[in-house]
Amino acid sequence: MDTFVLIAITGIGLGALFFLVASGLSLIYGLMGVLNFAHGTFLTVGAFAGLWISTQVFTISNTWTFVGAMLFGGLAGGVFALLVERLVITRLYERHIEQALVTVGVALVVGAMLSGWFGNDPRLLPTPHWFINTVTIGKAFVPVDRFLYIGASLVLLIVLTSILRFTRIGLIIRAGVENRSMVGALGINVRLAFSAVFFLGGFAAGLGGVLVAAYQSGVTPLMSGSWLIYGFVVVVVGGMGSLGGSALAALLIGVVNQFTNYYFPGVGDFVIVFLLAAVLLTRPQGLLGKVGR
Amino acid sequence: MLRWKYSRPLLGILILILAIGPMLSFGMLKEPGIQQTLAVAFLYGALALTYDMLFGFTGLLSFGHALFFASGAYVTAILIDSYKWPWYIAIPTSIATSAILAVLVGSASLRTKGITFAMVTLAFGEAGHVVISRNFGNLTNGENGLPINADRVPGIFIGVINTKYLFWLALAVLIFVYAAIWWVTQSSAGRVFSALRDNEVRTSVLGLNPNRYKLLSFVIAGTLASVIGSAMLLVSGNAAPRYATADTTIALLLMVILGGSGTRWGAALGGILYSIASTRLQDLNQGKALASLPKIISGPLSEPAFILGLLFIFIVMFAPGGLSGAYYRIRLRFLQRKGEKTASIPV
């Protein structure tokens, strides 16, 4: 029972990190139809920004500096995403394949720049001392940091949902996901919603980058590789453009991955792909996706 | 119409030079190092061609194409090394296995379209990479790659002195793949591929089953990729896990975009140039050519991906059609100046 609790919470924590990557991907795809291969770069840029502020600006490392690093990483990821959207993606308006291609190029170039400047060796991100503590739930010793990932994702889910639900820009985004051309035809500036979605997605990914760096204890230019692929899987399983679907799918995939890896070491990633194939064969639009897009 | 009338004879002469080059006692082609670089480049050119059929002709943006390249190399290596099969049985078995794999992966992922298809094939490709790098069943030797047992390969492919045979093998594979792709894309099925790329709804209204043709294209491309994978196993001497990564497929995409998609020769040229460029740029990095520059510039410049990525972004944004597109545009202008009214750019 105690291992069960431990694995379940670790799985939820992992799912929380997946959600941070996938939420932006899902919104960007849902609204603009862009398959964003540069999303992993947003994560890496956020992680490097978090690393920079925690080592160069903050002299100590406590809870508040870590929260600061998370927010700063998120901001860096968001601003970077905004730049990519403004400078590159809008110029290829409505040409989805080319947009996907150009994000591949951005990912290559930025990855190469970071490798060239910082090398590919992992750099340790300072974390508050309580990160290594555990709490006892029942008889299980659960590392505290898992709860941080879950908490951060929950907060982000609430914030994103509130933005989508209660603000004007959120309304435009939701309408755009439903039918973009109609929103444009009504004279509403959809382009503004594009930028907002890229900023929010970049923010989530950048914040996720800082947390991923804490989770796998290091920042490298190559850190985003498998996270991006998991992000894609989560988006497809959850349903394109559905934030709730992404959250559900991220949770499912995180937990399934951890349990499989515990009982059959090394098989976890493989089972995820089977899960993906099963979802595609039975429900091609994803768990909470809408038909007929 | 746009083809230059001397282009085919010139290509024939070029192939003849390449074929004779290693036998001569002078010229660059007698160096084993250059033979090896070119052999790898030819195989990447051939691989880019198969990807061009998938992406440029059929319009399928697959991010899992490397899977079949890797399965061609790995299944051959496993059959030869672990099961002691002779190479002339191992290679056809490996190709057949890859073809079946392509049918399975293709029929599952083709339930989706467009961008979702890209994501799904990416996930399947990554699963292949995981299987290889985690060393399931102790068959793939994990991250270290699987070197081929030299005793079980024809002697003419072993040793530096015999690099010229590998060079000829790679050249033959390139010509074979080129001919196969040419034949497929010119056939009636190939015309349906292009029709699907241009307008899938209209094609299905004409009574043609889109998924059947897409699967055909996917399987042919995958099978040819496994042929190239087996050749790569001989040329490079081992099966490496990076063959199966998404980075390999992304490199293929770069090659095709660089050379220009949907023209065959563009993709082959793009693959050859890309392969040579990334090898040479790496040498540049190891040399001292960049040492005098400040690190903020020399760092990124020493990464081949930086220059190739910038070039890629430039081509996608400002010069669609890549090298072959540029060639056709120049040729078109030349013909129009000569007064030819009917000249137009082929798709």
Side-chain angles (χ1 to χ4, degrees):
Chain A
M1 189 58 204
D2 42 350
T3 31
F4 183 85
V5 172
L6 174 65
I7 297 167
I9 293 178
T10 303
I12 298 171
L14 192 64
L17 293 176
F18 288 154
F19 172 72
L20 289 176
V21 182
S23 53
L25 273 177
S26 178
L27 280 183
I28 290 172
Y29 183 84
L31 183 69
M32 307 168 66
V34 176
L35 176 58
N36 186 16
F37 273 91
H39 213 75
T41 321
F42 303 165
L43 182 139
T44 319
V45 167
F48 269 100
L51 177 72
W52 178 79
I53 201 166
S54 0
T55 52
Q56 307 291 320
V57 178
F58 301 143
T59 44
I60 47 162
S61 172
N62 58 33
T63 313
W64 298 114
T65 59
F66 192 76
V67 171
M70 275 163 61
L71 291 177
F72 187 71
L75 210 59
V79 169
F80 180 72
L82 203 61
L83 278 178
V84 169
E85 193 259 345
R86 283 279 121 173
L87 293 180
V88 183
I89 291 172
T90 38
R91 286 166 197 264
L92 297 165
Y93 182 70
E94 280 291 285
R95 285 156 61 196
H96 297 314
I97 299 284
E98 279 86 350
Q99 285 174 330
L101 297 182
V102 93
T103 59
V104 170
V106 169
L108 279 175
V109 169
V110 176
M113 281 165 80
L114 292 173
S115 298
W117 287 334
F118 303 111
N120 286 337
D121 297 328
R123 287 148 184 260
L124 202 62
L125 179 78
T127 46
H129 58 88
W130 51 261
F131 251 62
I132 47 170
N133 293 357
T134 54
V135 287
T136 320
I137 297 178
K139 278 182 186 155
F141 297 104
V142 182
V144 178
D145 60 335
R146 306 289 187 269
F147 294 104
L148 177 71
Y149 308 144
I150 299 169
S153 290
L154 271 181
V155 170
L156 196 86
L157 177 63
I158 292 168
V159 169
L160 282 180
T161 317
S162 321
I163 291 177
L164 287 180
R165 185 93 359 131
F166 301 120
T167 64
R168 181 175 157 74
I169 194 84
L171 184 70
I172 300 175
I173 292 171
R174 275 187 297 144
V177 172
E178 293 279 331
N179 189 339
R180 185 186 41 220
S181 23
M182 181 56 81
V183 177
L186 291 171
I188 295 163
N189 188 356
V190 194
R191 295 273 297 265
L192 202 65
F194 291 179
S195 303
V197 159
F198 257 86
F199 178 79
L200 291 174
F203 186 89
L207 195 149
V210 177
L211 292 178
V212 165
Y215 176 73
Q216 56 191 30
S217 58
V219 179
T220 80
L222 310 171
M223 64 190 281
S224 65
S226 56
W227 293 92
L228 178 68
I229 292 175
Y230 269 115
F232 284 144
V233 173
V234 167
V235 171
V236 175
V237 170
M240 308 274 183
S242 158
L243 211 54
S246 292
L248 188 66
L251 203 64
L252 180 72
I253 285 174
V255 172
V256 168
N257 181 301
Q258 286 301 304
F259 273 103
T260 323
N261 268 341
Y262 180 74
Y263 291 109
F264 310 96
V267 186
D269 297 341
F270 206 54
V271 168
I272 299 307
V273 176
F274 269 116
L275 189 73
L276 171 75
V279 168
L280 281 175
L281 293 175
T282 51
R283 213 180 141 74
Q285 73 273 30
L287 295 177
L288 298 186
K290 296 197 178 66
V291 194
R293 275 189 52 81
Chain B
M1 187 60 70
L2 269 179
R3 188 189 292 122
W4 187 37
K5 63 183 169 188
Y6 300 115
S7 63
R8 280 188 175 166
L10 275 179
L11 185 66
I13 293 171
L14 182 67
I15 290 173
L16 204 65
I17 292 173
L18 285 173
I20 295 174
M23 290 191 281
L24 303 174
S25 58
F26 56 91
M28 280 175 15
L29 285 172
K30 73 171 169 46
E31 309 282 343
I34 289 177
Q35 289 171 0
Q36 175 76 22
T37 307
L38 282 178
V40 171
F42 290 159
L43 291 182
Y44 276 115
L47 198 57
L49 261 170
T50 65
Y51 195 74
D52 188 28
M53 182 173 80
L54 210 53
F55 171 67
F57 281 89
T58 322
L60 292 172
L61 181 59
S62 164
F63 277 95
H65 195 55
L67 182 62
F68 310 110
F69 177 56
S71 75
Y74 267 98
V75 176
T76 308
I78 289 169
L79 291 177
I80 291 179
D81 283 5
S82 303
Y83 293 94
K84 315 283 178 222
W85 287 25
W87 62 273
Y88 49 84
I89 303 178
I91 290 176
T93 312
S94 160
I95 293 167
T97 314
S98 306
I100 294 169
L101 185 67
V103 172
L104 294 177
V105 171
S107 29
S109 13
L110 281 169
R111 290 178 63 89
T112 58
K113 278 183 198 170
I115 294 293
T116 323
F117 175 79
M119 292 194 198
V120 173
T121 47
L122 182 74
F124 277 116
E126 187 59 19
H129 179 229
V130 166
V131 169
I132 288 169
S133 58
R134 293 282 162 78
N135 197 9
F136 282 119
N138 275 335
L139 287 170
T140 62
N141 202 18
E143 292 289 351
N144 297 325
L146 194 59
I148 190 160
N149 187 344
D151 299 339
R152 310 193 66 85
V153 176
I156 57 163
F157 290 139
I158 302 301
V160 176
I161 197 80
N162 286 330
T163 312
K164 57 177 179 285
Y165 294 104
L166 294 173
F167 174 86
W168 282 322
L169 172 76
L171 185 63
V173 168
L174 175 61
I175 293 171
F176 165 73
V177 170
Y178 197 104
I181 299 280
W182 184 83
W183 179 67
V184 170
T185 50
Q186 290 294 313
S187 69
S188 54
R191 290 177 191 281
V192 179
F193 294 171
S194 306
L196 282 170
R197 173 198 60 196
D198 294 337
N199 193 338
E200 182 174 337
V201 176
R202 176 148 164 71
T203 314
S204 59
V205 168
L206 290 173
L208 297 159
N209 182 343
N211 269 5
R212 194 170 296 172
Y213 284 95
K214 284 187 195 167
L215 187 61
L216 184 66
S217 175
F218 194 87
V219 172
I220 293 174
T223 311
L224 286 174
S226 74
V227 173
I228 301 161
S230 295
M232 188 61 95
L233 175 69
L234 292 172
V235 168
S236 67
N238 73 334
R242 69 183 159 77
Y243 290 169
T245 56
D247 290 350
T248 302
T249 310
I250 287 176
L252 292 180
L253 191 61
L254 255 72
M255 295 171 188
V256 171
I257 298 289
L258 202 72
S261 65
T263 57
R264 292 182 295 264
W265 65 270
L269 186 65
I272 293 170
L273 290 181
Y274 178 96
S275 171
I276 295 175
S278 53
T279 323
R280 296 301 303 169
L281 288 173
Q282 233 140 29
D283 294 350
L284 196 72
N285 178 19
Q286 264 123 38
K288 294 281 171 277
L290 294 168
S292 59
L293 294 166
K295 182 153 166 60
I296 196 159
I297 302 169
S298 71
L301 278 183
S302 65
E303 303 279 330
F306 180 72
I307 296 166
L308 293 166
L310 276 184
L311 193 63
F312 180 72
I313 295 178
F314 175 80
I315 289 178
V316 172
M317 291 186 70
F318 304 111
L323 289 175
S324 59
Y327 167 79
Y328 281 130
R329 270 198 295 276
I330 292 169
R331 183 99 183 113
L332 183 69
R333 194 157 307 162
F334 175 74
L335 286 181
Q336 277 168 344
R337 193 172 303 163
K338 269 177 62 179
E340 243 183 279
K341 294 260 170 4
T342 51
S344 66
I345 293 186
V347 182

